[in-house]
Amino acid sequence: MNGKRPAESGPARVGKKGKKEVIAEFSDAVTEETLKKQVAEAWSRRTPFSHGNFCLKISGPGFLTFLKLTWNQLLTCPVLNMNLLMPYSAMMMSWRGVELPSFCTSFLPGTGAWGAPWTCTILMVSEVLSEEKSRLSISGWFHGPSLTRPPNYFEPLIPRNPHIPQDHEILYEWINPTYLDMDYQAQIQEEFEERSEILLKEFLKTEKFAKVCEALEKGDVEWSSRGPPNKRFYEKAEESKLPDILKDCMGLFRSEALFLLLSNFTGLKLHFLAPSEEETEDKKEEEASCAADSTEEGTSQSSSEPENNQAAIKSSSQQSSGQTDPVPAEDEAKKESSVPTCQGELRRWKTGHYTLIHDNSKTEFALDLLFYCGCEGWEPEYGGFTSYIAKGEDEELLTVNPENNSLALVYRDRETLKFVKHINHRSLEQKKTFPNRTGFWDFSFVYYE
């Protein structure tokens, strides 16, 4: 996990790459009135048209909608080489909507085709896979009468659920004992409150993590693609059909005990037993006072903090089971209105997968949890890292790189957006070391106070 990136780009930086300025000259035939009329006639009849070194192919879902379009000769013609990305102005053309549909076509040596509206995809033209060849792309606009825009599609909200009642034993069964030490939890919380993010390595016990990876690699998981493609493309596990070990792991991240542990890690109010900010300040003042008294009296006090934490978690289990004292109606209503919740999924990431930031991205205060599996040999240049940016800014605030058996915690506010970088063809290098590996997996959860 990296912090804010430096202004100067270094050799290890994964960021925007410059485009190579190349001037391409069009044949005089392109500007001939006769040719333009022939192209327009072929377009109106929906028939292929060929001339010299190029051909016009009429296809794609957008064709029937735009029968009265005219071709505007204001074209862009970038030449792309290995390691160069498509300029943003050209990349965005396919997503501008129905009033001014675009075309974008690519030429490789020995091939040529004019694409109809919306037949190109951003991700296909953003990569050049050959080190010896260049790709010539021609982009432009078709002009025609404006059409009524369809109503905006709003995705249904993903349900959020409160914790699952589970006692502290699940933590001792799954989690590295180092992270259950109260002194170490205090250090984690101090660092998290300073930076709003932290990476906890070797989070699960070695034997548990090995069983999780074995179940993921075995292939008994049923996956389904998540879209729509203008927002995301990756695979999500069908949770009801997961092997038992993976179901148990999902249960760990939803458990009451983990909610309380995350409260200790972050200082957030993710459990009703977690102290509020006022209680924390009072406790600090009380501890300072007790320390002063102990120094004056020449005595010392010792306590077994793990036992105290265990008692707190046991107490939470008893209260969730109904073994509680009567609670005033006002306090009960307040508690019900601010019950911590979470939502999560198990995801598989492979070449071509990504998520995008879009206009309707919902932003709110939340704690992101990412737990990675199968990341051996994964390099940042492959993509697949989670990038956090501020609204209205293009500089990254934080980059979370996939790292095996590591738990990433990131707290974001209403001005922070995130996306997963497109996984490019370089990720296929992983197969050289791990022949059966085509990507990696992560458990992705979001927690709300």
Side-chain angles (χ1 to χ4, degrees):
M1 185 185 305
N2 301 325
K4 191 170 183 180
R5 294 185 174 180
E8 296 296 329
S9 60
R13 182 180 177 185
V14 181
K16 296 180 182 176
K17 299 177 182 178
K19 66 174 182 178
K20 184 178 180 180
E21 295 292 341
V22 178
I23 299 176
E25 295 183 1
F26 289 99
S27 169
D28 293 338
V30 177
T31 61
E32 292 179 2
E33 290 298 326
T34 303
L35 179 60
K36 292 169 64 177
K37 290 179 181 179
Q38 291 174 346
V39 171
E41 184 178 357
W43 177 266
S44 63
R45 293 181 178 179
R46 290 173 288 175
T47 57
F49 174 77
S50 61
H51 181 279
N53 295 323
F54 72 88
C55 64
L56 171 68
K57 293 183 179 180
I58 307 300
S59 62
F63 175 75
L64 294 178
T65 310
F66 305 103
L67 296 180
K68 298 181 180 180
L69 299 177
T70 59
W71 174 27
N72 190 319
Q73 288 182 248
L74 297 176
L75 307 177
T76 61
C77 186
V79 177
L80 306 179
N81 293 321
M82 193 74 168
N83 300 324
L84 296 178
L85 298 181
M86 174 69 86
Y88 287 118
S89 58
M91 289 174 63
M92 292 303 295
M93 285 183 175
S94 295
W95 302 97
R96 291 293 294 275
V98 298
E99 292 184 3
L100 291 175
S102 66
F103 66 88
C104 178
T105 192
S106 297
F107 293 89
L108 289 173
T111 66
W114 285 93
W118 296 356
T119 58
C120 66
T121 59
I122 290 176
L123 298 176
M124 285 301 294
V125 299
S126 68
E127 290 190 83
V128 178
L129 307 183
S130 171
E131 295 184 1
E132 295 79 24
K133 300 177 182 179
S134 298
R135 171 177 290 168
L136 171 66
S137 296
I138 300 178
S139 306
W141 294 97
F142 287 110
H143 291 258
S146 296
L147 301 177
T148 303
R149 287 181 178 271
N152 290 332
Y153 170 71
F154 293 98
E155 293 183 283
L157 296 176
I158 300 176
R160 302 175 183 178
N161 300 301
H163 63 241
I164 299 173
Q166 188 84 39
D167 63 25
H168 65 283
E169 293 298 334
I170 192 172
L171 301 183
Y172 297 105
E173 179 184 353
W174 280 84
I175 296 177
N176 185 334
T178 302
Y179 295 111
L180 302 181
D181 179 77
M182 291 298 291
D183 288 335
Y184 196 50
Q185 290 178 23
Q187 295 178 26
I188 292 173
Q189 184 179 138
E190 183 178 351
E191 181 178 345
F192 184 87
E193 289 178 344
E194 180 181 349
R195 302 177 55 187
S196 296
E197 55 90 7
I198 197 167
L199 184 68
L200 306 179
K201 300 184 178 183
E202 302 299 325
F203 184 71
L204 294 188
K205 288 184 174 180
T206 303
E207 60 274 14
K208 282 292 186 180
F209 181 71
K211 290 181 179 178
V212 168
C213 291
E214 181 183 358
L216 289 169
E217 292 178 342
K218 195 174 181 181
D220 293 337
V221 181
E222 184 175 316
W223 303 96
S224 60
S225 295
R226 282 214 63 198
N230 65 325
K231 293 184 179 180
R232 64 187 70 85
F233 176 47
Y234 61 85
E235 294 180 343
K236 175 186 176 182
E238 178 58 50
E239 193 167 343
S240 62
K241 300 179 181 180
L242 286 176
D244 290 341
I245 186 68
L246 298 181
K247 282 184 179 179
D248 293 343
C249 191
M250 293 290 285
L252 168 68
F253 292 118
R254 292 193 175 102
S255 68
E256 179 179 6
L258 192 80
F259 269 67
L260 184 55
L261 183 64
L262 291 177
S263 297
N264 292 342
F265 284 161
T266 63
L268 300 174
K269 188 75 173 177
L270 294 175
H271 194 280
F272 61 87
L273 286 182
S276 62
E277 293 183 6
E278 293 79 6
E279 292 172 340
T280 302
E281 292 298 326
D282 293 343
K283 184 177 179 181
K284 288 181 179 179
E285 292 178 3
E286 182 179 348
E287 289 177 349
S289 176
C290 290
D293 293 342
S294 298
T295 303
E296 291 174 2
E297 297 173 5
T299 60
S300 62
Q301 296 180 353
S302 62
S303 61
S304 178
E305 290 175 328
E307 284 78 359
N308 292 342
N309 185 46
Q310 179 175 337
I313 299 176
K314 283 183 177 180
S315 175
S316 70
S317 302
Q318 293 173 355
Q319 295 186 38
S320 64
S321 304
Q323 303 175 19
T324 59
D325 295 329
V327 180
E330 293 181 1
D331 293 343
E332 185 67 28
K334 183 178 180 181
K335 184 179 74 174
E336 289 296 329
S337 64
S338 59
V339 175
T341 57
C342 77
Q343 60 188 38
E345 58 188 358
L346 171 58
R347 308 183 294 187
R348 179 167 68 176
W349 298 94
K350 300 190 298 184
T351 305
H353 287 176
Y354 60 90
T355 67
L356 300 174
I357 293 173
H358 50 89
D359 292 339
N360 296 324
S361 294
K362 186 176 182 181
T363 57
E364 55 187 319
F365 293 99
L367 175 68
D368 292 336
L369 178 151
L370 293 168
F371 180 75
Y372 293 102
C373 304
C375 305
E376 300 95 336
W378 193 266
E379 298 293 339
E381 65 178 14
Y382 299 166
F385 54 82
T386 301
S387 181
Y388 289 82
I389 66 172
K391 273 188 176 181
E393 302 290 339
D394 60 0
E395 186 177 358
E396 292 171 318
L397 301 174
L398 176 70
T399 301
V400 182
N401 289 304
E403 190 169 336
N404 233 24
N405 197 9
S406 293
L407 185 81
L409 299 175
V410 181
Y411 186 69
R412 53 187 166 87
D413 57 21
R414 294 192 179 97
E415 298 300 318
T416 305
L417 301 170
K418 66 173 181 175
F419 66 92
V420 177
K421 179 68 174 179
H422 168 246
I423 300 178
N424 57 56
H425 69 283
R426 295 184 184 88
S427 62
L428 300 176
E429 293 289 325
Q430 188 188 33
K431 279 191 171 184
K432 294 181 180 179
T433 309
F434 303 94
N436 298 325
R437 190 71 55 77
T438 57
F440 65 89
W441 303 269
D442 68 15
F443 292 82
S444 174
F445 279 78
V446 184
Y447 298 84
Y448 305 90
E449 289 184 287

